[in-house]
């Protein structure tokens, strides 16, 4: 059977490839520890699970969740309360919020709602691998904007050639950043709004790690003056409440873009199971302390990994966000070679930076979403089996 040409540009999804590798090694009896995938192993808060169970038992919730096309008003109101409380951002639940099946869905529907075939779309390089396929699927072309350590892994907007900026319809970016862990500053957000205004570029600010920062301010793009005129922020319950499997998130901000995403959604799916939206309300309204506890757990895990890396010769300033560590690879290795070496020596899986774009070469990404004991075991193997490294 023939399949669509558009799929030919899309490489195999990185984590499917890694999962296959892990499963094969496990079959051979290897005790593999994966620090590659960012999927919290810690459970969802009990009160959220209880809210789901209660709502799931109510036959009212067994029908299509389409009464309110943009997601339940009660869920959107909870999103508005959360944004007000956590980020000081005011949102109108009637016009500025649409419920999503995770922020990944939002990335895709943003492209369908905002980008035309033939358009240029800016993406950071390295960047989240989910963006480019969405851009290709609508017949547009991604343009990689390098992000480098010397600029705090923030794009240098003035280095984007003006002929490219003039052609660009949209810009996808996320801070706290996957994969680098970098965080944005208020100054950068202001610059981004000004840049978007001057070139008429729609911003897709994907912010699922907004809560996961260490010792710096939590920031929403929407807190920048004028942000709602130029873009939307995608967010998600996946990371702050350990709800990756539940598939619930939101797009907030510019009413035209939010409306475009809602229009795509109502012609694509029939919304999110109401019981999950009720559980989402419970998470957004009553679980700030849970999120803070998780961030503290990530902070402690991060310190442990950094201390082992330091023992092994790493000397670098780790950025202040996300549950990933983006570590330079030692002298003499490419990203892929070092991942392979770590796997061979320690049965520890990491993600090669090169999988996130050409500028990701020279780094590996380690995730902190693994049980304490397994993390300790991985670090012990590294301390025992690896030499002290040198760096360029
Ligand atoms: N955007 C970024 C930058 C991510 O890292 C991820 C998940 O890892 C997603 C979106 C998808 O999140 P969700 O579970 O909300 O779809």
């Amino acid at each position: 059977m023939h399949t669509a040409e558009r799929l030919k540009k899309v490489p195999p999804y990185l984590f499917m490839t890694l999962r296959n590798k892990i499963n094969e090694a496990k079959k051979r009896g290897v005790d593999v520890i994966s620090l590659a995938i960012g999927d919290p192993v810690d459970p969802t808060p009990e009160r959220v699970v209880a809210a789901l169970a209660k709502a799931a038992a109510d036959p009212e919730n067994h029908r299509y969740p389409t009464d309110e096309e943009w997601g339940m008003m009660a869920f959107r109101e909870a999103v508005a309360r959360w944004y007000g409380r956590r980020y000081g951002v005011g949102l109108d639940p009637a016009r500025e919020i649409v419920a999503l099946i995770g922020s990944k869905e939002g990335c895709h529907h943003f492209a369908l709602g905002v980008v035309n075939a033939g358009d240029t779309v800016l993406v950071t390089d390295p960047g989240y691998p989910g963006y480019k396929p969405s851009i290709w699927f609508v017949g547009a072309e991604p343009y990689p904007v390098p992000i480098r350590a010397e600029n705090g892994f923030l794009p240098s907007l003035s280095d984007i050639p003006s002929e490219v900026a003039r052609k660009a319809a949209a810009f996808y970016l996320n801070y706290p950043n996957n994969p680098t862990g970098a965080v944005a500053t208020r100054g950068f957000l202001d610059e981004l709004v000004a840049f978007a205004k001057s070139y008429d570029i729609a911003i897709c600010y994907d912010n699922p790690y907004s809560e996961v920062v260490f010792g710096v301010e939590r920031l929403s793009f929407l807190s920048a003056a004028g942000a709602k005129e130029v873009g939307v922020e995608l967010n998600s319950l996946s990371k702050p409440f350990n709800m990756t499997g539940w598939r619930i998130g939101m797009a907030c901000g510019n009413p035209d873009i939010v409306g475009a995403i809602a229009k795509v959604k109502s012609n694509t799916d029939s919304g999110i199971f109401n019981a999950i939206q009720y559980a989402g309300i419970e998470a957004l309204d009553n679980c700030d302390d849970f999120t803070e506890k998780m961030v503290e757990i990530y902070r402690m895990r991060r310190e442990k990994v950094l201390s082992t890396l330091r023992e092994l010769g790493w000397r670098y300033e780790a950025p202040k966000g996300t549950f990933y560590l983006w570590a330079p690879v030692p002298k003499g290795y490419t990203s892929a070679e070092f991942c392979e070496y770590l796997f061979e020596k320690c049965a520890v899986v990491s993600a090669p930076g090169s999988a996130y774009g050409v500028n990701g070469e020279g780094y590996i990404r380690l995730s902190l979403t693994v049980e304490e004991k397994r993390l300790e075991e991985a670090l012990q193997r590294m301390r025992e089996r690896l030499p002290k490294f040198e760096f360029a």
Side-chain angles (χ1 to χ4, degrees), residues 86-87 175-177 181-184 207 209-219 291-292 294-296 298-299 302 319-323:
R86 305 297 285 173
Y87 303 98
Y175 291 92
N177 180 254
V183 292
N207 207 357
Y209 302 94
S210 58
E211 292 283 322
V212 190
V213 293
F214 309 99
V216 294
E217 188 187 11
R218 285 188 304 271
L219 270 185
T291 303
E292 278 151 29
M294 281 313 304
V295 173
E296 180 55 19
Y298 295 134
R299 194 191 60 74
R302 174 186 148 91
K320 300 278 192 295
T322 75
F323 44 54

Side-chain angles (χ1 to χ4, degrees), residues 70-375:
W70 293 27
M72 281 167 40
M73 180 50 95
F75 175 74
R76 286 180 277 146
E77 284 169 352
V79 169
R81 286 192 291 277
W82 188 72
Y83 260 96
R85 202 171 64 245
R86 305 297 285 173
Y87 303 98
V89 168
L91 288 169
D92 175 357
R95 299 166 53 248
E96 295 179 333
I97 302 173
V98 57
L100 297 174
I101 306 173
S103 69
K104 190 172 186 181
E105 189 208 19
C107 299
H108 185 66
H109 287 353
F110 174 92
L112 282 167
V114 173
V115 177
N116 287 309
D119 281 348
T120 295
V121 178
L122 308 176
V123 289
T124 62
D125 182 322
Y128 174 57
Y131 304 143
K132 282 188 188 167
S134 300
I135 295 163
W136 284 320
F137 288 164
V138 299
E141 263 312 306
Y143 179 91
V145 178
I147 55 173
R148 301 202 170 92
E150 54 267 28
N151 198 37
F153 294 110
L154 290 169
S156 172
L157 300 175
S158 55
D159 289 348
I160 299 173
S162 55
E163 68 275 15
V164 172
R166 270 198 298 276
K167 271 198 315 194
F171 193 176
Y172 281 77
L173 65 180
N174 75 85
Y175 291 92
N177 180 254
N178 176 12
T180 66
V183 292
T185 57
R186 285 198 175 272
F188 172 73
L189 294 182
D190 290 339
E191 253 184 66
L192 182 63
V193 171
F195 173 77
K197 271 191 187 160
S198 63
Y199 290 104
D200 191 19
I201 292 173
I203 300 295
C204 182
Y205 199 91
D206 180 26
N207 207 357
Y209 302 94
S210 58
E211 292 283 322
V212 190
V213 293
F214 309 99
V216 294
E217 188 187 11
R218 285 188 304 271
L219 270 185
S220 162
F221 167 63
L222 300 175
S223 65
K228 282 189 199 169
E229 289 162 43
V230 295
V232 285
E233 175 158 300
L234 310 179
N235 214 316
S236 167
L237 279 66
S238 288
K239 318 285 158 132
F241 309 114
N242 294 347
M243 290 174 73
T244 48
W246 297 56
R247 314 308 306 132
I248 182 161
M250 53 277 199
C252 310
N254 183 274
D256 294 333
I257 302 179
V258 168
I261 293 174
K263 187 166 180 181
V264 171
K265 275 189 68 62
S266 51
N267 286 284
T268 310
D269 62 69
S270 301
I272 304 155
F273 182 25
N274 277 349
I276 291 183
Q277 297 191 59
Y278 279 116
I281 296 170
E282 183 63 32
L284 291 165
D285 278 343
N286 294 315
C287 293
D288 290 1
D289 53 347
F290 176 89
T291 303
E292 278 151 29
K293 198 184 78 196
M294 281 313 304
V295 173
E296 180 55 19
I297 290 172
Y298 295 134
R299 194 191 60 74
M300 288 188 305
R301 290 181 190 164
R302 174 186 148 91
E303 282 311 315
K304 283 181 189 163
V305 178
L306 283 172
S307 136
T308 296
L309 293 181
R310 271 183 227 115
E311 269 181 54
L312 292 168
W314 267 268
R315 295 278 174 272
Y316 78 105
E317 182 73 26
K320 300 278 192 295
T322 75
F323 44 54
Y324 304 111
L325 283 169
W326 182 246
V329 297
K331 208 161 140 183
Y333 292 92
T334 64
S335 301
E337 283 165 357
F338 192 73
C339 287
E340 204 49 47
Y341 175 79
L342 193 56
F343 186 65
E344 291 308 318
K345 286 274 183 194
C346 305
V348 168
V349 185
S350 54
S354 49
Y356 298 87
V358 288
N359 292 294
E361 180 51 72
Y363 292 86
I364 58 165
R365 197 195 74 171
L366 300 170
S367 168
L368 305 171
T369 56
V370 66
E371 297 99 337
E372 237 55 52
K373 266 201 186 143
R374 298 297 280 162
L375 183 66

Side-chain angles (χ1 to χ4, degrees), residues 46-57 246 275-276 278-283:
E46 273 172 31
R47 60 192 305 153
V48 176
V49 178
L52 170 72
K54 183 164 170 250
W246 297 56
I276 291 183
Y278 279 116
I281 296 170
E282 183 63 32

